[in-house]
Amino acid sequence: MNLPASLFIKGISVKEVFFFSTNKIKTLDPHYFICIKKDDSEVLLFSCCTTKGSKREDYIQKMGITLETLVYIRPGQDGNPFKYDTYVDCNKAIPFTIEEFEAMHKSGKIEYKGEINTDYYLQIILGLLKSPQIEQVIKDSLVNPDSII
């Protein structure tokens, strides 16, 4: 059963994983995205997942960025929905307005896939905070890692 868009949007929370395609990344192939922030201004912030860990690692090292900005998620561990080794490159955070996400849901382009555990979520937050490529205004809006522990 497909939830009405308003209920779907209200129900979104951090740590949830969705599968969809977007023109906000370099490919239109669908990817897994993790909701890392939902705020009162009606903006959703996502991190994109990939199975190409070595490619992301090479890029991060080439850019001189700490590898702490690449989070590895083991498949199926602690109930996460991933079937393969999955990596989150915390050097990019992708914003969506509620309206954008609602339109994608209405057109059937988003699949809810599950949720990551708090440990992985904390690693992603820490990776975003350590990334020199994430704007300070985004870093300032993220949950305080000390409040997660």
Short mmCIF file of all heavy atoms in Angstrom, two decimals, residues 11-69:
data_model
loop_
_atom_site.label_atom_id
_atom_site.label_comp_id
_atom_site.label_asym_id
_atom_site.label_seq_id
_atom_site.Cartn_x
_atom_site.Cartn_y
_atom_site.Cartn_z
N GLY A 11 6.12 11.14 8.17
CA GLY A 11 6.74 9.97 8.78
C GLY A 11 8.24 9.85 8.56
O GLY A 11 8.88 9.02 9.19
N ILE A 12 8.80 10.65 7.68
CA ILE A 12 10.23 10.56 7.40
C ILE A 12 11.02 10.99 8.62
O ILE A 12 10.72 12.00 9.25
CB ILE A 12 10.62 11.43 6.19
CG1 ILE A 12 9.97 10.88 4.92
CG2 ILE A 12 12.14 11.49 6.02
CD1 ILE A 12 10.16 11.78 3.72
N SER A 13 12.05 10.21 8.94
CA SER A 13 12.93 10.60 10.04
C SER A 13 14.38 10.26 9.69
O SER A 13 14.65 9.54 8.73
CB SER A 13 12.51 9.90 11.35
OG SER A 13 12.64 8.52 11.22
N VAL A 14 15.29 10.79 10.48
CA VAL A 14 16.71 10.53 10.24
C VAL A 14 16.98 9.03 10.38
O VAL A 14 16.23 8.32 11.04
CB VAL A 14 17.61 11.34 11.20
CG1 VAL A 14 17.43 12.84 10.95
CG2 VAL A 14 17.38 10.99 12.64
N LYS A 15 18.01 8.59 9.71
CA LYS A 15 18.47 7.20 9.67
C LYS A 15 17.69 6.34 8.67
O LYS A 15 18.08 5.22 8.40
CB LYS A 15 18.46 6.53 11.05
CG LYS A 15 19.31 7.23 12.09
CD LYS A 15 19.46 6.42 13.34
CE LYS A 15 18.22 6.45 14.16
NZ LYS A 15 18.31 5.72 15.43
N GLU A 16 16.60 6.86 8.11
CA GLU A 16 15.83 6.06 7.16
C GLU A 16 16.53 6.03 5.80
O GLU A 16 17.17 7.00 5.40
CB GLU A 16 14.41 6.60 7.03
CG GLU A 16 13.60 6.34 8.27
CD GLU A 16 12.15 6.73 8.13
OE1 GLU A 16 11.83 7.68 7.40
OE2 GLU A 16 11.33 6.05 8.78
N VAL A 17 16.37 4.91 5.12
CA VAL A 17 17.02 4.68 3.83
C VAL A 17 15.95 4.62 2.74
O VAL A 17 14.94 3.91 2.89
CB VAL A 17 17.82 3.36 3.85
CG1 VAL A 17 18.50 3.12 2.51
CG2 VAL A 17 18.85 3.38 4.99
N PHE A 18 16.21 5.34 1.66
CA PHE A 18 15.30 5.37 0.52
C PHE A 18 16.09 5.04 -0.74
O PHE A 18 17.29 5.27 -0.81
CB PHE A 18 14.65 6.75 0.39
CG PHE A 18 13.83 7.13 1.58
CD1 PHE A 18 14.40 7.82 2.64
CD2 PHE A 18 12.49 6.79 1.66
CE1 PHE A 18 13.65 8.16 3.76
CE2 PHE A 18 11.74 7.12 2.78
CZ PHE A 18 12.32 7.81 3.83
N PHE A 19 15.39 4.54 -1.74
CA PHE A 19 16.01 4.17 -3.01
C PHE A 19 15.32 4.97 -4.10
O PHE A 19 14.10 4.86 -4.28
CB PHE A 19 15.83 2.67 -3.25
CG PHE A 19 16.58 2.12 -4.43
CD1 PHE A 19 17.96 2.03 -4.44
CD2 PHE A 19 15.88 1.69 -5.56
CE1 PHE A 19 18.64 1.50 -5.53
CE2 PHE A 19 16.54 1.16 -6.64
CZ PHE A 19 17.93 1.08 -6.64
N PHE A 20 16.09 5.80 -4.82
CA PHE A 20 15.52 6.61 -5.89
C PHE A 20 16.62 7.17 -6.78
O PHE A 20 17.80 7.08 -6.45
CB PHE A 20 14.64 7.74 -5.33
CG PHE A 20 15.34 8.70 -4.41
CD1 PHE A 20 15.96 9.85 -4.90
CD2 PHE A 20 15.36 8.48 -3.04
CE1 PHE A 20 16.57 10.75 -4.04
CE2 PHE A 20 15.98 9.38 -2.17
CZ PHE A 20 16.58 10.51 -2.67
N SER A 21 16.21 7.74 -7.90
CA SER A 21 17.17 8.42 -8.78
C SER A 21 16.91 9.92 -8.70
O SER A 21 15.80 10.36 -8.40
CB SER A 21 17.04 7.92 -10.22
OG SER A 21 15.78 8.23 -10.74
N THR A 22 17.95 10.67 -8.96
CA THR A 22 17.85 12.12 -8.92
C THR A 22 18.91 12.72 -9.84
O THR A 22 19.98 12.14 -10.02
CB THR A 22 18.02 12.68 -7.49
OG1 THR A 22 17.96 14.11 -7.52
CG2 THR A 22 19.33 12.24 -6.87
N ASN A 23 18.61 13.89 -10.36
CA ASN A 23 19.60 14.59 -11.18
C ASN A 23 20.56 15.41 -10.31
O ASN A 23 21.39 16.14 -10.84
CB ASN A 23 18.92 15.47 -12.24
CG ASN A 23 18.05 16.55 -11.62
OD1 ASN A 23 17.95 16.69 -10.40
ND2 ASN A 23 17.39 17.32 -12.46
N LYS A 24 20.48 15.25 -9.00
CA LYS A 24 21.38 15.97 -8.09
C LYS A 24 22.71 15.23 -7.89
O LYS A 24 23.57 15.72 -7.18
CB LYS A 24 20.70 16.21 -6.75
CG LYS A 24 19.52 17.17 -6.86
CD LYS A 24 18.92 17.50 -5.51
CE LYS A 24 17.77 18.47 -5.69
NZ LYS A 24 17.36 19.08 -4.43
N ILE A 25 22.84 14.05 -8.49
CA ILE A 25 24.12 13.34 -8.50
C ILE A 25 24.50 13.12 -9.97
O ILE A 25 23.70 13.41 -10.86
CB ILE A 25 24.08 12.02 -7.70
CG1 ILE A 25 23.05 11.04 -8.25
CG2 ILE A 25 23.80 12.30 -6.22
CD1 ILE A 25 23.06 9.67 -7.58
N LYS A 26 25.67 12.58 -10.23
CA LYS A 26 26.19 12.50 -11.59
C LYS A 26 25.60 11.39 -12.45
O LYS A 26 26.01 11.22 -13.59
CB LYS A 26 27.71 12.36 -11.56
CG LYS A 26 28.41 13.59 -11.04
CD LYS A 26 29.91 13.45 -11.08
CE LYS A 26 30.55 14.70 -10.55
NZ LYS A 26 31.99 14.65 -10.62
N THR A 27 24.66 10.65 -11.95
CA THR A 27 24.02 9.58 -12.71
C THR A 27 22.53 9.55 -12.40
O THR A 27 22.12 9.94 -11.30
CB THR A 27 24.65 8.21 -12.39
OG1 THR A 27 23.97 7.20 -13.13
CG2 THR A 27 24.58 7.89 -10.91
N LEU A 28 21.75 9.10 -13.35
CA LEU A 28 20.33 8.94 -13.09
C LEU A 28 19.99 7.52 -12.63
O LEU A 28 18.82 7.20 -12.42
CB LEU A 28 19.52 9.31 -14.33
CG LEU A 28 19.47 10.81 -14.62
CD1 LEU A 28 18.67 11.09 -15.89
CD2 LEU A 28 18.90 11.60 -13.45
N ASP A 29 21.02 6.67 -12.47
CA ASP A 29 20.79 5.35 -11.90
C ASP A 29 20.30 5.51 -10.47
O ASP A 29 20.84 6.33 -9.71
CB ASP A 29 22.08 4.52 -11.91
CG ASP A 29 22.54 4.16 -13.30
OD1 ASP A 29 21.71 4.16 -14.24
OD2 ASP A 29 23.74 3.89 -13.47
N PRO A 30 19.31 4.74 -10.06
CA PRO A 30 18.84 4.84 -8.68
C PRO A 30 19.94 4.47 -7.69
O PRO A 30 20.76 3.58 -7.96
CB PRO A 30 17.69 3.84 -8.61
CG PRO A 30 17.33 3.54 -10.01
CD PRO A 30 18.55 3.77 -10.84
N HIS A 31 19.95 5.14 -6.56
CA HIS A 31 20.90 4.89 -5.48
C HIS A 31 20.14 4.85 -4.16
O HIS A 31 19.02 5.33 -4.05
CB HIS A 31 21.95 6.02 -5.40
CG HIS A 31 23.06 5.88 -6.37
ND1 HIS A 31 22.90 6.02 -7.72
CD2 HIS A 31 24.37 5.61 -6.17
CE1 HIS A 31 24.06 5.86 -8.32
NE2 HIS A 31 24.97 5.60 -7.40
N TYR A 32 20.80 4.31 -3.16
CA TYR A 32 20.28 4.39 -1.79
C TYR A 32 20.70 5.74 -1.22
O TYR A 32 21.83 6.19 -1.43
CB TYR A 32 20.86 3.27 -0.92
CG TYR A 32 20.31 1.91 -1.24
CD1 TYR A 32 20.96 1.07 -2.14
CD2 TYR A 32 19.14 1.45 -0.63
CE1 TYR A 32 20.46 -0.19 -2.43
CE2 TYR A 32 18.63 0.20 -0.92
CZ TYR A 32 19.29 -0.61 -1.82
OH TYR A 32 18.79 -1.85 -2.10
N PHE A 33 19.79 6.36 -0.48
CA PHE A 33 20.05 7.62 0.18
C PHE A 33 19.60 7.49 1.63
O PHE A 33 18.55 6.91 1.92
CB PHE A 33 19.27 8.77 -0.46
CG PHE A 33 19.73 9.12 -1.85
CD1 PHE A 33 19.28 8.42 -2.95
CD2 PHE A 33 20.63 10.16 -2.04
CE1 PHE A 33 19.70 8.74 -4.23
CE2 PHE A 33 21.06 10.49 -3.32
CZ PHE A 33 20.59 9.78 -4.42
N ILE A 34 20.40 8.05 2.53
CA ILE A 34 20.09 8.02 3.96
C ILE A 34 19.69 9.42 4.39
O ILE A 34 20.42 10.39 4.14
CB ILE A 34 21.30 7.54 4.78
CG1 ILE A 34 21.70 6.12 4.35
CG2 ILE A 34 20.99 7.59 6.28
CD1 ILE A 34 23.02 5.65 4.93
N CYS A 35 18.55 9.53 5.05
CA CYS A 35 18.11 10.83 5.58
C CYS A 35 18.97 11.15 6.80
O CYS A 35 18.99 10.41 7.77
CB CYS A 35 16.64 10.77 5.97
SG CYS A 35 16.00 12.36 6.57
N ILE A 36 19.69 12.25 6.71
CA ILE A 36 20.56 12.63 7.82
C ILE A 36 20.03 13.83 8.60
O ILE A 36 20.48 14.11 9.70
CB ILE A 36 22.00 12.89 7.35
CG1 ILE A 36 22.04 13.92 6.25
CG2 ILE A 36 22.67 11.61 6.92
CD1 ILE A 36 23.43 14.37 5.87
N LYS A 37 19.04 14.52 8.00
CA LYS A 37 18.48 15.67 8.69
C LYS A 37 17.10 15.99 8.13
O LYS A 37 16.88 15.94 6.93
CB LYS A 37 19.40 16.88 8.51
CG LYS A 37 18.92 18.12 9.20
CD LYS A 37 19.95 19.22 9.02
CE LYS A 37 19.53 20.49 9.69
NZ LYS A 37 18.48 21.19 9.00
N LYS A 38 16.19 16.29 9.01
CA LYS A 38 14.87 16.81 8.65
C LYS A 38 14.62 17.96 9.61
O LYS A 38 14.65 17.77 10.83
CB LYS A 38 13.79 15.74 8.80
CG LYS A 38 12.41 16.23 8.42
CD LYS A 38 11.37 15.13 8.58
CE LYS A 38 10.00 15.66 8.20
NZ LYS A 38 8.96 14.64 8.43
N ASP A 39 14.42 19.14 9.06
CA ASP A 39 14.29 20.27 9.98
C ASP A 39 12.97 21.02 9.82
O ASP A 39 12.16 20.70 8.95
CB ASP A 39 15.48 21.23 9.83
CG ASP A 39 15.52 21.97 8.51
OD1 ASP A 39 14.49 22.09 7.83
OD2 ASP A 39 16.61 22.44 8.15
N ASP A 40 12.79 22.00 10.68
CA ASP A 40 11.55 22.77 10.71
C ASP A 40 11.35 23.62 9.47
O ASP A 40 10.24 24.04 9.19
CB ASP A 40 11.51 23.66 11.96
CG ASP A 40 11.47 22.84 13.23
OD1 ASP A 40 10.98 21.69 13.18
OD2 ASP A 40 11.93 23.34 14.27
N SER A 41 12.42 23.88 8.72
CA SER A 41 12.28 24.69 7.51
C SER A 41 11.84 23.83 6.33
O SER A 41 11.83 24.27 5.19
CB SER A 41 13.59 25.41 7.18
OG SER A 41 14.58 24.47 6.80
N GLU A 42 11.50 22.57 6.63
CA GLU A 42 10.98 21.67 5.61
C GLU A 42 12.02 21.28 4.57
O GLU A 42 11.73 21.15 3.39
CB GLU A 42 9.73 22.27 4.94
CG GLU A 42 8.61 22.56 5.90
CD GLU A 42 8.12 21.33 6.65
OE1 GLU A 42 7.89 20.29 6.01
OE2 GLU A 42 7.98 21.40 7.88
N VAL A 43 13.23 21.12 5.03
CA VAL A 43 14.31 20.64 4.17
C VAL A 43 14.76 19.28 4.66
O VAL A 43 14.93 19.06 5.85
CB VAL A 43 15.50 21.64 4.16
CG1 VAL A 43 16.67 21.06 3.41
CG2 VAL A 43 15.08 22.96 3.56
N LEU A 44 14.95 18.37 3.71
CA LEU A 44 15.50 17.06 4.01
C LEU A 44 16.92 17.04 3.48
O LEU A 44 17.20 17.55 2.40
CB LEU A 44 14.69 15.97 3.30
CG LEU A 44 13.22 15.88 3.68
CD1 LEU A 44 12.48 14.99 2.69
CD2 LEU A 44 13.07 15.34 5.08
N LEU A 45 17.83 16.47 4.25
CA LEU A 45 19.23 16.39 3.83
C LEU A 45 19.60 14.91 3.78
O LEU A 45 19.35 14.17 4.72
CB LEU A 45 20.10 17.13 4.85
CG LEU A 45 21.51 17.49 4.45
CD1 LEU A 45 21.54 18.37 3.22
CD2 LEU A 45 22.22 18.18 5.59
N PHE A 46 20.20 14.50 2.66
CA PHE A 46 20.52 13.09 2.44
C PHE A 46 21.99 12.90 2.13
O PHE A 46 22.63 13.78 1.56
CB PHE A 46 19.71 12.54 1.26
CG PHE A 46 18.26 12.36 1.54
CD1 PHE A 46 17.37 13.40 1.36
CD2 PHE A 46 17.78 11.16 2.02
CE1 PHE A 46 16.03 13.24 1.63
CE2 PHE A 46 16.43 10.98 2.29
CZ PHE A 46 15.55 12.03 2.10
N SER A 47 22.49 11.73 2.46
CA SER A 47 23.80 11.25 2.01
C SER A 47 23.54 10.12 1.04
O SER A 47 22.68 9.28 1.26
CB SER A 47 24.63 10.73 3.18
OG SER A 47 25.12 11.79 3.95
N CYS A 48 24.31 10.12 -0.04
CA CYS A 48 24.17 9.10 -1.07
C CYS A 48 25.08 7.92 -0.76
O CYS A 48 26.20 8.10 -0.29
CB CYS A 48 24.53 9.70 -2.43
SG CYS A 48 24.31 8.57 -3.80
N CYS A 49 24.60 6.73 -1.05
CA CYS A 49 25.35 5.50 -0.81
C CYS A 49 25.88 4.94 -2.13
O CYS A 49 25.27 5.14 -3.18
CB CYS A 49 24.45 4.46 -0.16
SG CYS A 49 23.72 4.99 1.39
N THR A 50 26.98 4.24 -2.05
CA THR A 50 27.56 3.60 -3.22
C THR A 50 28.19 2.27 -2.82
O THR A 50 28.54 2.07 -1.66
CB THR A 50 28.62 4.50 -3.89
OG1 THR A 50 29.10 3.86 -5.08
CG2 THR A 50 29.79 4.79 -2.97
N THR A 51 28.33 1.39 -3.79
CA THR A 51 29.04 0.15 -3.55
C THR A 51 30.48 0.26 -4.07
O THR A 51 31.26 -0.67 -3.91
CB THR A 51 28.35 -1.03 -4.26
OG1 THR A 51 28.23 -0.73 -5.65
CG2 THR A 51 26.98 -1.30 -3.66
N LYS A 52 30.82 1.39 -4.65
CA LYS A 52 32.15 1.59 -5.25
C LYS A 52 33.09 2.25 -4.24
O LYS A 52 33.56 3.36 -4.43
CB LYS A 52 32.02 2.42 -6.52
CG LYS A 52 31.18 1.71 -7.56
CD LYS A 52 30.97 2.54 -8.79
CE LYS A 52 30.09 1.76 -9.76
NZ LYS A 52 29.62 2.57 -10.85
N GLY A 53 33.35 1.53 -3.17
CA GLY A 53 34.16 2.05 -2.08
C GLY A 53 35.58 2.42 -2.49
O GLY A 53 36.09 3.46 -2.10
N SER A 54 36.24 1.57 -3.27
CA SER A 54 37.63 1.85 -3.63
C SER A 54 37.72 3.09 -4.53
O SER A 54 38.65 3.88 -4.42
CB SER A 54 38.28 0.65 -4.31
OG SER A 54 37.60 0.30 -5.48
N LYS A 55 36.73 3.28 -5.38
CA LYS A 55 36.70 4.47 -6.23
C LYS A 55 36.54 5.74 -5.39
O LYS A 55 37.23 6.73 -5.60
CB LYS A 55 35.55 4.35 -7.24
CG LYS A 55 35.47 5.49 -8.22
CD LYS A 55 34.35 5.25 -9.22
CE LYS A 55 34.21 6.44 -10.14
NZ LYS A 55 33.10 6.29 -11.09
N ARG A 56 35.65 5.69 -4.40
CA ARG A 56 35.44 6.85 -3.51
C ARG A 56 36.68 7.07 -2.65
O ARG A 56 37.09 8.21 -2.43
CB ARG A 56 34.21 6.65 -2.63
CG ARG A 56 32.90 6.59 -3.33
CD ARG A 56 32.61 7.66 -4.37
NE ARG A 56 32.89 9.01 -3.93
CZ ARG A 56 33.16 10.02 -4.78
NH1 ARG A 56 33.18 9.82 -6.08
NH2 ARG A 56 33.40 11.22 -4.33
N GLU A 57 37.29 5.98 -2.18
CA GLU A 57 38.51 6.10 -1.37
C GLU A 57 39.62 6.76 -2.17
O GLU A 57 40.31 7.66 -1.66
CB GLU A 57 38.94 4.73 -0.87
CG GLU A 57 40.12 4.77 0.08
CD GLU A 57 40.48 3.41 0.62
OE1 GLU A 57 39.59 2.54 0.76
OE2 GLU A 57 41.68 3.21 0.94
N ASP A 58 39.82 6.35 -3.40
CA ASP A 58 40.85 6.95 -4.26
C ASP A 58 40.60 8.44 -4.44
O ASP A 58 41.52 9.26 -4.35
CB ASP A 58 40.89 6.27 -5.63
CG ASP A 58 41.41 4.85 -5.58
OD1 ASP A 58 41.98 4.45 -4.53
OD2 ASP A 58 41.22 4.13 -6.58
N TYR A 59 39.33 8.80 -4.69
CA TYR A 59 38.99 10.22 -4.89
C TYR A 59 39.27 11.02 -3.61
O TYR A 59 39.86 12.10 -3.66
CB TYR A 59 37.52 10.36 -5.28
CG TYR A 59 37.05 11.79 -5.30
CD1 TYR A 59 37.35 12.63 -6.36
CD2 TYR A 59 36.32 12.31 -4.24
CE1 TYR A 59 36.94 13.95 -6.37
CE2 TYR A 59 35.91 13.63 -4.23
CZ TYR A 59 36.21 14.44 -5.31
OH TYR A 59 35.82 15.75 -5.30
N ILE A 60 38.85 10.49 -2.48
CA ILE A 60 39.03 11.20 -1.21
C ILE A 60 40.52 11.40 -0.91
O ILE A 60 40.95 12.49 -0.52
CB ILE A 60 38.30 10.45 -0.07
CG1 ILE A 60 36.78 10.59 -0.27
CG2 ILE A 60 38.72 10.95 1.30
CD1 ILE A 60 35.95 9.66 0.60
N GLN A 61 41.31 10.36 -1.13
CA GLN A 61 42.75 10.49 -0.90
C GLN A 61 43.38 11.47 -1.88
O GLN A 61 44.25 12.27 -1.50
CB GLN A 61 43.42 9.12 -1.00
CG GLN A 61 43.11 8.25 0.19
CD GLN A 61 43.76 6.88 0.10
OE1 GLN A 61 43.86 6.28 -0.97
NE2 GLN A 61 44.19 6.37 1.24
N LYS A 62 42.96 11.43 -3.12
CA LYS A 62 43.48 12.36 -4.14
C LYS A 62 43.19 13.81 -3.75
O LYS A 62 44.00 14.70 -3.99
CB LYS A 62 42.84 12.04 -5.50
CG LYS A 62 43.31 12.92 -6.62
CD LYS A 62 42.64 12.53 -7.93
CE LYS A 62 43.01 13.50 -9.03
NZ LYS A 62 42.29 13.23 -10.26
N MET A 63 42.04 14.03 -3.12
CA MET A 63 41.65 15.38 -2.69
C MET A 63 42.32 15.79 -1.38
O MET A 63 42.18 16.93 -0.94
CB MET A 63 40.13 15.47 -2.56
CG MET A 63 39.38 15.24 -3.86
SD MET A 63 39.81 16.43 -5.16
CE MET A 63 39.13 17.93 -4.50
N GLY A 64 43.04 14.86 -0.75
CA GLY A 64 43.71 15.17 0.50
C GLY A 64 42.77 15.26 1.69
O GLY A 64 43.07 15.95 2.67
N ILE A 65 41.67 14.55 1.62
CA ILE A 65 40.66 14.58 2.68
C ILE A 65 40.81 13.32 3.53
O ILE A 65 41.17 12.26 3.03
CB ILE A 65 39.25 14.64 2.05
CG1 ILE A 65 39.10 15.90 1.18
CG2 ILE A 65 38.16 14.60 3.12
CD1 ILE A 65 37.83 15.94 0.36
N THR A 66 40.52 13.44 4.80
CA THR A 66 40.61 12.31 5.70
C THR A 66 39.63 11.20 5.30
O THR A 66 38.49 11.48 4.90
CB THR A 66 40.36 12.72 7.17
OG1 THR A 66 40.39 11.53 7.97
CG2 THR A 66 39.02 13.41 7.37
N LEU A 67 40.07 9.96 5.43
CA LEU A 67 39.20 8.83 5.12
C LEU A 67 38.08 8.63 6.15
O LEU A 67 37.20 7.81 5.95
CB LEU A 67 40.02 7.55 4.97
CG LEU A 67 40.80 7.45 3.65
CD1 LEU A 67 41.65 6.18 3.62
CD2 LEU A 67 39.87 7.48 2.45
N GLU A 68 38.11 9.43 7.20
CA GLU A 68 37.01 9.40 8.17
C GLU A 68 35.72 9.93 7.55
O GLU A 68 34.65 9.80 8.14
CB GLU A 68 37.37 10.21 9.41
CG GLU A 68 38.47 9.58 10.23
CD GLU A 68 38.91 10.49 11.36
OE1 GLU A 68 39.61 11.48 11.09
OE2 GLU A 68 38.52 10.19 12.51
N THR A 69 35.84 10.51 6.36
CA THR A 69 34.66 11.01 5.66
C THR A 69 34.04 9.95 4.75
O THR A 69 33.10 10.24 4.02
CB THR A 69 34.99 12.27 4.83
OG1 THR A 69 35.95 11.93 3.83
CG2 THR A 69 35.52 13.39 5.71
#
